[in-house]
Every structure is written in C-alpha cells, then in structure tokens.
Amino acid sequence: MLTIAWDVDDVLNHLMKAWLEDWWKVQYPNCSLDYQQIHINPPHRLINASLDEYLLSLDDYRLSGQYAKMSPNPAVSAWFKSHGTSFRHLALSAVSRPAAHVSASWVITHFGDWIRSFHFVPSYRRGDISTHYESTKAEYLKRLGQVDFFIDDSAENVRDASAVGVKSFLVSRPWNTGGMALSDILNVLEK
C-alpha cells in the first residue's frame, strides 16, 4: 500500500486565511491585507511585522483555542472519506515545538481515521532549545523512508522532497507559483 505524507497547514486546513482574518486583523484592524494578496510566505513584511512577531502570532493563534476550532479543508475531507483507505497516511508539519501538540490533536480529531502518525520538524523560535534531528521536511522524509507521495504548499519543501526521491505535489496558494489545485492533486492520487 502506498504512503502519502501530508503537510498540515494550508493543505489539510486553511491556516493562513483563518489566522489572517480571525486573529491578526482582529488585533490590527488597520491591516488591509487580503488573503489573496499574500504573495510571500512568511508574510511578515506584508503585515509590517518582524518575522519573530509573525511566528509568535501564529503560535498564539494555535495555543488560543482558535486553531482547534478550524474546519478541515472540505475537499480533502471528502477525498479521505472516499479514497482514504486506499493509502497509508502520515502528517508532516513544520510547527513550533510548543504548539505541535495542538496541530497533532487537530489532525487526529479531523483525520484520525486515516492519518495514524504525526511528525514535525520544529519551526525555530528565538530561544528554542529543542533537540534538532532533521532541519527540513526532506531530511525527515529521507530518514523515514517508504513515503511515496508528499503534498505541501511550500515550493522549497516540494523541490527538496523530490530531490530525495519522493513524488511531490505543490498545492497552489497565493504565495507560490507552479502549483496544482488541490482538487487536481487528489484526482491524480485516485488513479
């Protein structure tokens, strides 16, 4: 049975959109940035924040309980219900260590019938003293082995995973180019 490694944020869910609209803009109502205008990720310069401020804001969103309330991507949920049992699945996220348990809980809550393991490469935060084994998702995939497909919204992650021999798909988002609509990726996997 083939194995799919799924990125969590902005693939299984719509974190960037939810964070921007339900968290950042609530705290900074003068921010006029629209989700479709996020042409770089991380978008800290677009919101006039430092990288540390942006990353801490994401962590605050996750730890506030808002992340747990996010709905999964409806297209992915429907695909899992129809085709999930045809593959093995794992989640691979780049999330800060202090917030990883929230992401893991969200994944198991919404996709636990199919995704049986949650892996993360800690997203660095100032002062983080966590032990680091692999520093990229590609390094993690290479060590893990036996992953057939990888789906992510980061062009760099997809390129690097492809370079270590994993068939990779880039989910089209406003901050990347050359990606595929998630529905098209899911159709390819069905075949």
Side-chain angles (χ1 to χ4, degrees):
M1 187 174 286
L2 299 174
T3 300
I4 303 172
W6 298 84
D7 176 40
V8 177
D9 297 326
D10 299 303
V11 173
L12 297 180
N13 63 38
H14 293 291
L15 172 62
M16 184 71 76
K17 188 174 189 338
W19 165 83
L20 178 66
E21 294 174 0
D22 301 335
W23 189 257
W24 187 261
K25 286 182 155 186
V26 169
Q27 295 177 20
Y28 299 94
N30 291 333
C31 178
S32 61
L33 183 68
D34 181 66
Y35 170 75
Q36 292 299 325
Q37 295 173 312
I38 300 176
H39 63 275
I40 56 172
N41 191 5
H44 58 287
R45 291 189 301 264
L46 300 174
I47 58 171
N48 296 316
S50 70
L51 179 58
D52 285 340
E53 288 171 322
Y54 163 70
L55 293 173
L56 289 174
S57 179
L58 276 181
D59 288 348
D60 289 345
Y61 178 79
R62 285 183 173 106
L63 296 170
S64 73
Q66 291 291 99
Y67 188 94
K69 295 176 187 173
M70 270 193 313
S71 297
N73 183 319
V76 177
S77 290
W79 184 88
F80 266 97
K81 288 173 185 164
S82 296
H83 305 284
T85 58
S86 299
F87 300 88
R88 291 186 184 277
H89 305 275
L90 63 94
L92 178 57
S93 186
V95 60
S96 70
R97 203 242 8 106
H101 69 287
V102 176
S103 293
S105 177
W106 185 91
V107 167
I108 300 307
T109 296
H110 295 286
F111 295 99
D113 288 341
W114 308 278
I115 296 178
R116 299 294 168 82
S117 60
F118 178 89
H119 307 262
F120 73 105
V121 176
S123 176
Y124 178 77
R125 301 296 189 264
R126 186 183 306 276
D128 184 2
I129 58 169
S130 300
T131 303
H132 290 274
Y133 303 113
E134 292 80 24
S135 59
T136 67
K137 289 182 179 182
E139 289 173 4
Y140 200 92
L141 289 167
K142 183 177 180 181
R143 185 190 65 77
L144 200 57
Q146 299 183 356
V147 171
D148 301 288
F149 303 108
F150 174 58
I151 303 170
D152 201 293
D153 65 298
S154 163
E156 181 180 3
N157 289 341
V158 166
R159 182 179 56 250
D160 292 349
S162 294
V164 299
V166 178
K167 172 96 172 127
S168 301
F169 297 95
L170 177 64
V171 176
S172 181
R173 294 291 178 242
W175 51 85
N176 66 42
T177 57
M180 295 172 65
L182 190 52
S183 59
D184 292 337
I185 295 169
L186 298 175
N187 285 336
V188 169
L189 292 173
E190 289 175 25
K191 297 176 181 175

